[in-house]
Amino acid sequence: MAEQQGERITYVDGTIRVPDHPIIPFIEGDGIGPDIWRATRRVIDAAVAKSYQGRREIVWKEVLAGEKAYAQTGEWLPKETLDALSFYRVGIKGPLTTPVGGGIRSLNVAIRQELDLYACVRPVRYIQGVPSPMREPEKVDMVIFRENTEDVYSGIEWPSGSPEAEKLIRFVNQELGKSIDKTAGIGIKPITPAGSERLIRRAIRYALDHKRRSVTMMHKGNIMKFTEGAFRDWGYQLAAREFPDQVITEEELYRTYHGEVPEGKIVLKDRIADITFQQVLLRPDEFDVIAAPNLNGDYLSDALAAQVGGVGMAPGSNISDTLAVFEATHGTAPKYANLDKVNPSSLILSAIMMLEHLEWVEAAAKVLTALEETIAAKIVTYDLARQMDGATEVKTSEFASAVIERM
């Protein structure tokens, strides 16, 4: 289908409007990106075709970022790519390399910040048959909402010995009465009320819409009281102000409701970051939706992915109120590039999230069921095959074919 036959996705009064032939930009990615993108595209196109019998079809539009963009344009992240993602409202991308040397620190971070994709959403759920280090991985069913634009990922830092670092240290020591070693490298950690509130608001709305039980705010506020501690405080204040009839605190749960969550309500609670890592291992079924500042959310997302089989099985999206970019959550693995070898499940699962975002739930369900059946049949790529007894090891493209056959 030619591009001009497709239409762009729009929003009306905050509600997504998806045409039957939406134009969706894709970035195939670096390293293993082209292999897993080809597999994912085949799976998604097959699911849409089987679900809607030609009535709906995605019109794919390639945009460039990473090594392919640099080779063709001399830029790692062309403005045209950002413009296309912004204009078409929904996009999907493979893994991107981080350029060595100066310039962009991370292309992934740059896309999030340039488009103000303030929430990184990472569902973590076990798929039966995937090797896991946990005794009961099926108890892991969480959705992480990680703030995407603030915290130490803002990139406000200066190296040891630089004029900027020395100037800032001098100001802090002389004007604010602190004592920082003059040889220190300096980083600044901004966390704002607005940034925290929109992230926590989205997590609460997700929990309510999906009939989840709780939202846990993960923070290190016992030490960083005015950044991460404030993140926690702003969350409670937001809930009391905007969701007074739908959200109760953990204190209210036991004081007023004797530990029983009333119908139609969710519990808002908080946990210190370090204890959270222990509790998601020992008591994963006590966690549901988790909202976290940027760095905490980054660590926790990958730690939880390990509990259900690794980042190769972990989907993700970066979203704002009117934009969404879905992505594989792992790296580029350049030594496996163009070998048709690696597991495409992270990108396929992210594409399922994309279909759900489009409200094409029939196609999303078809992909998920077929993926689960393929893994249950022990037809897997090398990363899972080496951990499973009796597995049939297949190539990336063959895995996609096996998923399609089961639709």
Side-chain angles (χ1 to χ4, degrees):
M1 175 174 286
E3 180 186 321
Q4 60 266 27
Q5 292 178 275
E7 299 175 70
R8 65 184 288 244
I9 294 165
T10 58
Y11 279 79
V12 178
D13 297 327
T15 301
I16 192 168
R17 293 285 187 266
V18 181
D20 286 339
H21 300 89
I23 299 171
I24 297 183
F26 70 89
I27 300 168
E28 64 178 10
D30 298 323
I32 59 174
D35 280 348
I36 65 172
W37 168 246
R38 281 191 293 269
T40 298
R41 178 172 175 169
R42 285 177 53 217
V43 167
I44 298 309
D45 284 346
V48 170
K50 290 174 185 291
S51 297
Y52 306 116
Q53 303 297 317
R55 183 168 61 84
R56 289 175 171 173
E57 182 180 359
I58 293 174
V59 181
W60 299 107
K61 173 182 174 63
E62 183 173 16
V63 295
L64 301 179
E67 293 170 347
K68 191 172 184 178
Y70 190 77
Q72 294 188 25
T73 70
E75 298 180 87
W76 291 98
L77 183 58
K79 182 177 182 298
E80 291 79 3
T81 295
L82 294 172
D83 290 344
L85 292 171
S86 181
F87 181 75
Y88 291 109
R89 304 291 190 178
V90 172
I92 188 167
K93 58 179 280 297
L96 292 173
T97 192
T98 297
V100 176
I104 294 174
R105 295 166 179 265
S106 162
L107 292 171
N108 294 319
V109 172
I111 289 171
R112 295 166 190 163
Q113 292 185 341
E114 289 292 329
L115 298 177
D116 197 30
L117 302 171
Y118 64 82
C120 177
V121 183
R122 295 272 298 270
V124 186
R125 186 179 69 86
Y126 181 64
I127 292 179
Q128 197 65 40
V130 175
S132 166
M134 307 298 291
R135 285 185 300 174
E136 298 176 303
E138 66 277 1
K139 290 185 176 180
V140 178
D141 183 4
M142 307 177 205
V143 183
I144 313 304
F145 280 74
R146 165 193 171 196
E147 202 290 317
N148 244 351
T149 63
E150 301 186 334
D151 201 356
V152 291
Y153 280 65
S154 299
I156 307 171
E157 60 176 355
W158 296 275
S160 169
S162 67
E164 296 88 350
E166 291 177 354
K167 182 177 182 180
L168 186 55
I169 291 169
R170 192 161 53 247
F171 173 79
V172 171
N173 289 349
Q174 293 177 3
E175 301 295 327
L176 302 179
K178 302 297 182 181
S179 179
I180 301 176
D181 189 296
K182 65 181 181 181
T183 65
I186 291 291
I188 294 179
K189 177 187 177 78
I191 291 183
T192 67
S196 301
E197 287 178 355
R198 64 181 182 176
L199 185 279
I200 296 166
R201 179 185 297 112
R202 191 165 200 107
I204 291 173
R205 284 179 176 163
Y206 178 93
L208 290 168
D209 290 345
H210 292 81
K211 295 180 169 45
R212 293 281 184 155
R213 297 163 292 133
S214 68
V215 175
T216 303
M217 296 179 290
M218 174 190 179
H219 63 92
K220 192 63 179 168
N222 57 328
I223 304 299
M224 291 172 276
K225 300 182 186 300
F226 306 121
T227 50
E228 300 201 12
F231 174 88
R232 166 195 180 274
D233 295 342
W234 292 325
Y236 281 124
Q237 293 162 13
L238 169 86
R241 187 173 67 247
E242 297 187 12
F243 302 94
D245 299 324
Q246 298 160 295
V247 176
I248 60 173
T249 65
E250 202 168 26
E251 180 187 2
E252 290 173 312
L253 173 64
Y254 292 101
R255 186 189 69 226
T256 306
Y257 299 102
H258 311 292
E260 296 291 330
V261 182
E263 186 71 27
K265 295 184 186 290
I266 61 168
V267 179
L268 180 64
K269 53 188 176 179
D270 70 276
R271 294 290 183 271
I272 300 297
D274 40 356
I275 200 67
T276 303
F277 281 99
Q278 174 177 281
Q279 291 181 341
V280 295
L281 282 168
L282 300 178
R283 304 199 295 272
D285 47 355
E286 293 183 9
F287 293 86
D288 202 339
V289 176
I290 300 177
N294 209 329
L295 184 61
N296 288 341
D298 193 3
Y299 289 155
L300 185 68
S301 296
D302 282 2
L304 285 174
Q307 293 182 220
V308 298
V311 292
M313 297 300 301
S317 65
N318 298 287
I319 59 180
S320 71
D321 295 333
T322 57
L323 296 177
V325 177
F326 300 83
E327 65 178 356
T329 59
H330 52 69
T332 59
K335 72 177 181 178
Y336 294 119
N338 304 311
L339 297 183
D340 197 21
K341 184 178 179 68
V342 299
N343 187 351
S345 293
S346 175
L347 193 57
I348 291 174
L349 288 164
S350 299
I352 293 172
M353 291 179 68
M354 184 190 76
L355 290 171
E356 291 172 342
H357 182 76
L358 300 179
E359 300 178 352
W360 291 11
V361 293
E362 301 85 0
K366 199 173 287 292
V367 178
L368 180 58
T369 300
L371 179 71
E372 290 175 335
E373 290 178 355
T374 303
I375 292 172
K378 296 187 176 183
I379 299 172
V380 291
T381 48
Y382 86 99
D383 56 311
L384 298 183
R386 62 188 178 183
Q387 303 177 66
M388 298 168 67
D389 293 331
T392 300
E393 181 177 334
V394 294
K395 298 177 180 179
T396 310
S397 56
E398 292 169 340
F399 181 80
S401 296
V403 173
I404 293 168
E405 287 168 8
R406 284 163 176 77
M407 289 181 186

